[in-house]
Every structure is written in C-alpha cells, then in structure tokens.
Amino acid sequence: MKAKLRVLAALLLCGAFLCGCQPKQQAAEPALVLGFSQLGSESSFRIGNTKDIEDKARQYGISLMMDDANQKQENQINAIRRFIAYRVDVIAFSPIVEEGWDVVLAEAKNAGIPVVLVDRTIQTDDEQLYVSQIGADFSREGVMAAEYLIRKANDIGRERLNIVEIRGTEDSTPMKKRHEGFLDTIAGDQRMNLLDSVDGEFLRSRGAECMRLLLAKWGDQIDVIFSHNDEMTMGALPEIEKAGYVPGRDMILISIDGGQEAMELLQGGKINCIVECTPKLGSILMETALKLKAGESVERVIHPTERSFSDYDDLSGLEPRGY
Ligand code: AHR
C-alpha cells in the first residue's frame, strides 16, 4: 500500500514538473498588519505615493489596509478609528492638514498602537502621539525654489521681479513650509516683490482658476509664478498661453514635485525649474513598521534626499520618473 502511495506521489510531482506547475505554496503569514489612511488622489505625487506604498507592502510581506480619505479630514479620522478597532499593528497616515488630530491619536496611543506620519506632519502639544515622521523637508524645497530665482535674477540682470504664488492646501505642512522657506530666502533681496499669493489647493482645476484670476488682476506685471505643485502649474500653463504669453520666456515658472508630465514640460522649456518632492516613501515606511513590530526604536524624523531640476541643467538623459 505504502509503495503504491509513494509511486503515486512521485507521478504527481513528475507531472507537475513536466507541465511547469509549481506545487501550491501555503500563503505566508504577513509580517504585520499596517493601516494606512491616504488623504486623496489630487496629484501625480499622491497617486505615485499610494502606488509605492502598495508595492512596497507586497514586497515586504506586510498586509496593508489602505483607505482613501478623498480630501476630508473626518474620513481620515474615521479610518484611523477603524484601524484601532481592527487592532492593526501599526497605523500610518498622511495628514491633510496639521491641526485637529489630538483626540483620535490619543485613542491610538491608549490602544497601544504606534502611529507613523507619512509625507506631512501635525501640530500637537503631545509629542508622544506619533513615533516617527517620514517625509520631505518642505522648507528646504521652498529655499531651493527661491535660490533658483535669485540665480535667474542675477543672470537676466533685472532690477525687479514681480512674483505671484499659487499655494497648496491651507494649513497643510507643504503649503506652510514651502511658503516660509521661499519668503525667508528672498526676504533680503530688494529685487523680489511678492505681488499676490492665492490658495490653489494642490488641484489642477484650481491652478487654472487662480491663474485666470491673477492674469485678470495683474496682467503683464507678472514676471514669476511660484506654484506649490506640478498639478497647479499644469492647470495654470494653458491659461498663460491663452492670455498670449509664452510660459518659460515671458513668465518664469517654478514648480514642485517632479512628476513625469511636468518634467517633460521642463524639458520643453515651458517650466523653468522644478524642485523635487519624492512620493517614494514606501520602503522607509515598511522598514519603520517592521522595527516597531519588533519593539525596536525608530528615527523621529526621516527626510528623503531631494534635488532641483532647471533650465541650467542638461535635461536630455533624465530617467523616467515613475510618477
Ligand atoms: O504633501 C506633498 C504635496 O501634496 C505634493 O507636493 C502635492 O502634489 C501633493 O498633493
């Protein structure tokens, strides 16, 4: 009987080998369960960030509960409460705004679930409400945008440059820090004049609306457009052209993110400078979550390395951006 079974097993294995089938693997136990509340899908940065987190969770063997808050803080709060009820191992989220998280994060703390902030940060008096923040140095991004402009002003020898700013979501970290970093850097330069600053909410549609409004109000007084993300820049561009100006020549355009579509516009000369804001934060998040699960300490703040690209660079051999 035993001999018959052995022959049968050998035949089955042989058959599987010959037809190229792999023996069915038992699904592995996930390393941990991570609840992630994404704030929405407003830009190529955001879509790239969601994809990167999903890809990296798979690669690291982490079970991911992903929730899209569709631009609403209350949806993020509800998602965090669901993660607590589910008793996930780690909660991570990209806070749409900085204020208003204390109550729900205190609930996570009381449940003993560590919280990681991804991309943006929060304002709180209780530093223990989150363990780590992984995201760009937004202030440095504003500084890099201003440094490009100062270099350009030196080159073109202008005595005055009128700037309009299209800002990201009110009370969000990138909006506040990019604005501050930019203004602090141009503050000592008498040539720089901020004509206007408007809220474009990081949306392409709002970038177009803001640009129409700014052109109607200031017309050809505008020398420079500093836009807090590529999406708004790409909304503004057709409006500039419709009004009869050549973007990149009649008006200097400075943008932030560095997604594929915007980088091609930079290569084509319609945008003058793009400061990179990388959405690829997934690996650092997964490594941080694994350390937390293992009871190890993690870094309080982690900034990825970022650079700027401009019409001063050789842009011919750029790698595909992947977002
Ligand atoms: O928080 C990062 C910012 O959010 C990106 O620059 C912008 O595109 C996104 O919506």
Side-chain angles (χ1 to χ4, degrees):
M1 184 66 183
K2 270 187 183 167
K4 270 188 186 166
L5 281 174
R6 267 202 299 273
V7 172
L8 185 64
L11 283 173
L12 283 172
L13 250 161
C14 207
F17 178 74
L18 288 176
C19 73
C21 308
Q22 297 293 321
K24 198 167 177 243
Q25 299 275 327
Q26 193 73 25
E29 191 58 18
L32 60 93
V33 180
L34 170 67
F36 183 78
S37 163
Q38 182 57 284
L39 66 88
S41 53
E42 74 282 3
S43 61
S44 55
F45 168 95
R46 189 67 50 206
I47 293 163
N49 180 246
T50 302
K51 184 176 180 310
D52 187 55
I53 289 170
E54 286 170 344
D55 289 350
K56 295 302 179 328
R58 261 192 304 278
Q59 281 172 27
Y60 281 78
I62 288 175
S63 166
L64 179 69
M65 291 175 75
M66 171 71 85
D67 187 89
D68 181 344
N70 206 11
Q71 306 295 318
K72 290 204 171 67
Q73 183 176 28
E74 66 184 271
N75 291 348
Q76 291 203 283
I77 291 173
N78 289 338
I80 293 169
R81 291 209 164 109
R82 281 197 298 279
F83 298 150
I84 296 170
Y86 192 82
R87 300 212 55 78
V88 299
D89 296 294
V90 178
I91 292 173
F93 74 113
S94 293
I96 182 158
V97 290
E98 289 195 341
E99 307 278 345
W101 301 102
D102 281 25
V103 174
V104 72
L105 294 190
E107 291 168 23
K109 186 177 151 194
N110 293 338
I113 304 175
V115 171
V116 179
L117 306 180
V118 177
D119 170 32
R120 304 179 180 181
T121 191
I122 61 167
Q123 293 294 327
T124 180
D125 292 332
D126 185 352
E127 291 293 300
Q128 292 184 345
L129 290 185
Y130 67 93
V131 290
S132 181
Q133 188 231 329
I134 302 163
D137 182 344
F138 296 121
S139 179
R140 175 87 199 110
E141 291 174 353
V143 171
M144 284 196 272
E147 283 172 349
Y148 165 82
L149 188 57
I150 292 169
R151 179 175 178 188
K152 193 58 143 186
N154 293 341
D155 275 358
I156 59 179
R158 288 281 293 276
E159 283 181 5
R160 193 165 184 83
L161 282 174
N162 289 322
I163 305 160
V164 295
E165 181 187 38
I166 308 180
R167 303 189 311 268
T169 309
E170 256 345 273
D171 188 36
S172 70
T173 321
M175 175 263 145
K176 289 161 80 170
K177 296 288 177 196
R178 285 170 185 169
H179 176 77
E180 265 171 39
F182 184 80
L183 284 198
D184 288 353
T185 311
I186 60 167
D189 191 324
Q190 297 307 309
R191 297 168 298 183
M192 304 294 170
N193 177 40
L194 185 67
L195 268 186
D196 214 335
S197 178
V198 291
D199 175 14
E201 300 173 50
F202 283 129
L203 298 172
R204 193 181 285 228
S205 57
R206 289 283 300 135
E209 277 169 39
C210 289
M211 199 64 236
R212 277 199 295 277
L213 186 145
L214 290 165
L215 285 162
K217 192 167 166 193
W218 301 104
D220 57 12
Q221 290 184 67
I222 302 171
D223 301 308
V224 180
I225 297 141
F226 170 43
S227 156
H228 284 199
N229 83 342
D230 288 346
E231 230 54 48
M232 298 188 295
T233 310
M234 292 186 291
L237 267 170
E239 301 302 322
I240 298 171
E241 287 172 327
K242 271 188 252 164
Y245 302 101
V246 179
R249 191 195 70 191
D250 301 335
M251 293 177 185
I252 298 167
L253 269 94
I254 305 172
S255 187
I256 300 187
D257 277 353
Q260 186 65 34
E261 197 182 344
M263 291 297 269
E264 284 167 19
L265 290 162
L266 174 72
Q267 286 170 315
K270 292 190 178 193
I271 299 176
N272 301 79
C273 171
I274 300 182
V275 177
E276 180 180 38
C277 180
T278 180
K280 295 176 187 171
L281 305 171
S283 293
I284 313 173
L285 172 60
M286 300 312 146
E287 273 158 29
T288 302
L290 287 170
K291 281 187 191 165
L292 289 168
K293 172 81 177 174
E296 293 168 25
S297 63
V298 295
E299 279 180 69
R300 180 73 182 163
V301 180
I302 305 173
H303 291 316
T305 310
E306 293 177 334
R307 55 168 291 196
S308 65
F309 302 87
S310 78
D311 48 14
Y312 290 115
D313 300 320
D314 174 9
L315 299 165
S316 54
L318 282 179
E319 296 282 313
R321 302 290 294 159
Y323 60 102

